[in-house]
Amino acid sequence: MFDIVNFAKNGELFDGHYYLIRPLSVDGATADVWLALDTNTVKDVGRLSAIKHLRDWEYERIGLVVAIKIYRPQNALDIEGEQRFRDEYMIVYNCHHTNLIHPTHFSIFKDIPYLVLPYCKRGSSEQLIGNYKDNDTLWSYIEDVASGLDYLHHFTPPIIHQDIKPANILLDDTLHYSITDFGISAQRGGVQESYYDEENSGTLAYMAPERFEEDNEPIPQSDIWAFGATLYEIITGTVPYGEYGGKSQPDGKVRIKFPKDSVSVNIQKLICACLNKNPHKRPTARQLIEAAQKKRFLSEKSFIPAVSIAAAMLLVIACLSFVFNSPDATTEEYGDDSEINDDPIVKTILKNIDKQILRMDEYLNNHKYDAYDTKESNKIDGCLGEEMYIAILQQIDTLYDSHLNNVSEKLVNEMNQRRDSAVAMSERWKDSLENQANQFQQVGPIGMPKAEEARNRAEKLTRQLNRIKNKI
């Protein structure tokens, strides 16, 4: 079996041009991270014979110093695994955000995959544990990390990090905190697609309760819980529920203790909300950004509907922004299912959804969806109708996430009725697109581009349909 430590001691070049200087981290579940010099960037090749035992800054003066994440030998890939690894890297390569450490290269050496990343010499947020300066420092940290998570969670397909912890949040050269290790080790959009040791994906102490359930699928809310555990550790010096994380989190009300005068009440409320045992009661990354910018974690729910016009048609998209209920005691975990009073805002939203469902029905009736005139092979019938359906499904999806556990059974039934109506009409439009794709294909080569376009649009709608069907 390949021994990376002895390989480095012998001074051999990893994959022919990386000189391994020293390990940066060997605590990961599936990989080690090494500091390395890319010898291809060394101008004075004569210095390569004397590169041992230099200090870090000396290596930086003679060439490019990088961090290399080298997966352990037991995670060696077969041919199919190599292709999946490459496909995943192509997705990660297109992730560009200020608060993400972007991999610059990947390859496979001796059947072992590795990633090359920028080296952040300022270290990780582990140095903040017990040493943060003030509330402003924490608010900046929250905004930076939440911004990176918000980008990943809204990527197409969504990327769920699954291992948020202080060691995976680095301070870059611009003095912003950025998330690392979000690439090949992450999982995407509700489908298990990790390429190594799925059972050990993540660190137990930062795993949300749902991560320990059978047949669990990756969801953004698990990253939010892990971030809450990270913030708690930075403030108190310990993780909230011990080395087994959410597996040890008790049910019901739980008092989370903070050192006296250690941090503002708003930050305490935010952390308690992130650590809610119910995933659907946790704030989103977007809400954490808004809280950090205002330096206040609001306790009242608010919804702001917005209307926009797109694709030469009236497209109603309700953009909901909400903030979760806060507990009376600042150190009390969210999730008290006390007496339920139906929020009038929910009823208003349902009325708005009713209007949009009528628009969906009208749209279906005004656009043919069972036949297509193959002579007009330069267009797809109905413009971008699925965008309207997706927007309505997303609105219902958000409504479930934010209010499902806070309304009466009667109102839940009303929500279900709207969902079923929207799903049924969306299914009809999906069938229409697939039918059009088949008819375009029959036209011959001239129709193939439009056939592919119709199928892509149908697949986009299918993804949202699958998401909404998984609700309750």
Side-chain angles (χ1 to χ4, degrees):
M1 184 176 288
F2 181 66
D3 187 337
I4 188 66
V5 175
N6 287 330
F7 186 87
K9 285 182 179 179
N10 293 333
E12 297 182 63
L13 296 182
F14 186 82
D15 207 5
H17 63 104
Y18 292 109
Y19 176 75
L20 302 179
I21 300 171
R22 60 180 174 86
L24 293 172
S25 172
V26 293
D27 298 327
T30 57
D32 299 325
V33 181
W34 283 74
L35 184 67
L37 172 69
D38 185 351
T39 59
N40 284 344
T41 66
V42 177
K43 295 181 180 179
D44 185 0
V45 294
R47 302 194 63 177
L48 292 178
S49 60
I51 59 175
K52 289 186 177 181
H53 311 303
L54 297 180
R55 286 169 288 187
D56 289 357
W57 65 268
E58 293 177 301
Y59 286 112
E60 292 179 28
R61 294 182 68 175
I62 64 175
L64 178 65
V65 173
V66 297
I68 302 184
K69 181 176 181 178
I70 304 172
Y71 293 85
R72 301 207 178 102
Q74 62 264 36
N75 300 307
L77 302 177
D78 56 20
I79 295 176
E80 181 182 357
E82 286 188 19
Q83 186 56 49
R84 294 170 67 195
F85 188 92
R86 296 176 194 277
D87 292 343
E88 182 74 3
Y89 176 77
M90 292 303 295
I91 293 173
V92 172
Y93 185 78
N94 290 318
C95 291
H96 296 281
H97 190 275
T98 303
N99 300 110
L100 297 177
I101 302 296
H102 186 260
T104 59
H105 178 68
F106 94 98
S107 191
I108 299 170
F109 177 61
K110 294 184 180 294
D111 296 325
I112 297 173
Y114 71 90
L115 288 173
V116 180
L117 305 103
Y119 170 50
C120 295
K121 58 186 175 184
R122 299 180 186 275
S124 74
S125 61
E126 287 179 308
Q127 61 191 322
L128 285 180
I129 298 175
N131 296 312
Y132 68 93
K133 295 180 180 180
D134 49 35
N135 288 323
D136 287 343
T137 299
L138 284 177
W139 282 125
S140 296
Y141 180 76
I142 291 169
E143 183 175 3
D144 282 349
V145 179
S147 296
L149 285 176
D150 185 59
Y151 179 88
L152 291 175
H153 293 169
H154 285 89
F155 198 75
T156 304
I159 295 177
I160 316 302
H161 189 286
Q162 296 223 115
D163 198 18
I164 291 293
K165 59 183 178 181
N168 281 338
I169 301 168
L170 307 180
L171 185 61
D172 63 24
D173 291 337
T174 65
L175 301 182
H176 286 95
Y177 285 96
S178 299
I179 299 170
T180 188
D181 205 16
F182 67 90
I184 311 303
S185 64
Q187 298 188 355
R188 300 190 281 122
V191 179
Q192 297 283 353
E193 291 203 23
S194 66
Y195 304 145
Y196 59 83
D197 201 6
E198 289 183 0
E199 294 182 358
N200 292 320
S201 178
T203 306
L204 288 175
Y206 306 92
M207 285 188 184
E210 63 272 11
R211 292 284 307 278
F212 295 92
E213 297 175 359
E214 290 186 10
D215 301 324
N216 78 91
E217 294 184 349
I219 56 174
Q221 292 93 329
S222 298
D223 284 346
I224 298 299
W225 194 97
F227 186 39
T230 294
L231 289 169
Y232 185 84
E233 183 181 18
I234 286 174
I235 295 168
T236 67
T238 61
V239 288
Y241 296 108
E243 62 179 323
Y244 292 105
K247 188 176 184 178
S248 303
Q249 185 172 0
D251 295 325
K253 292 183 180 180
V254 178
R255 295 278 178 175
I256 301 175
K257 297 181 180 180
F258 292 87
K260 187 177 180 181
D261 300 324
S262 61
V263 68
S264 75
V265 170
N266 277 287
I267 292 178
Q268 290 183 33
K269 288 182 178 180
L270 182 148
I271 293 172
C272 288
C274 290
L275 291 173
N276 195 300
K277 192 164 186 177
N278 186 334
H280 299 300
K281 290 185 179 181
R282 296 171 200 156
T284 63
R286 169 51 53 184
Q287 289 172 312
L288 296 182
I289 296 170
E290 293 170 356
Q293 291 172 343
K294 297 175 181 177
K295 297 183 180 179
R296 182 185 178 196
F297 189 70
L298 301 178
S299 58
E300 297 298 327
K301 292 178 249 189
S302 62
F303 287 76
I304 305 176
V307 180
S308 63
I309 299 177
M313 59 182 292
L314 182 61
L315 182 61
V316 181
I317 303 178
C319 300
L320 307 176
S321 64
F322 57 90
V323 185
F324 288 60
N325 287 330
S326 65
D328 294 332
T330 61
T331 58
E332 181 179 305
E333 180 184 356
Y334 282 30
D336 180 15
D337 291 326
S338 55
E339 183 179 357
I340 293 175
N341 294 312
D342 285 339
D343 193 329
I345 294 177
V346 177
K347 297 179 180 179
T348 301
I349 294 170
L350 287 175
K351 289 181 180 179
N352 183 39
I353 290 174
D354 284 339
K355 294 178 182 179
Q356 296 179 64
I357 288 176
L358 288 175
R359 187 179 299 278
M360 294 171 74
D361 189 49
E362 179 183 1
Y363 188 84
L364 279 169
N365 292 332
N366 290 338
H367 290 81
K368 56 188 176 183
Y369 55 90
D370 290 325
Y372 185 78
D373 184 356
T374 56
K375 294 180 180 178
E376 299 183 65
S377 57
N378 62 339
K379 74 170 186 175
I380 297 179
D381 183 46
C383 191
L384 294 177
E386 72 280 359
E387 296 292 350
M388 177 171 64
Y389 300 157
I390 288 173
I392 297 170
L393 292 172
Q394 286 176 337
Q395 184 178 355
I396 297 173
D397 186 28
T398 303
L399 185 62
Y400 271 97
D401 282 348
S402 58
H403 280 286
L404 181 60
N405 298 295
N406 298 322
V407 296
S408 68
E409 183 177 352
K410 178 182 177 182
L411 209 53
V412 169
N413 290 335
E414 291 184 28
M415 291 164 62
N416 291 345
Q417 290 173 4
R418 271 62 166 199
R419 177 199 61 182
D420 293 342
S421 295
V423 166
M425 282 184 277
S426 298
E427 290 276 15
R428 286 172 62 192
W429 186 248
K430 177 179 71 73
D431 292 342
S432 165
L433 288 170
E434 291 174 346
N435 183 48
Q436 291 176 42
N438 291 333
Q439 295 186 25
F440 271 124
Q441 190 167 352
Q442 293 174 7
V443 174
I446 191 174
M448 293 304 292
K450 291 300 178 182
E452 183 177 359
E453 180 185 347
R455 286 198 179 92
N456 289 339
R457 288 167 52 185
E459 289 174 2
K460 184 177 180 181
L461 182 55
T462 298
R463 286 195 294 270
Q464 188 61 40
L465 277 167
N466 290 338
R467 178 177 175 82
I468 197 71
K469 286 178 182 178
N470 289 332
K471 295 295 177 183
I472 70 172

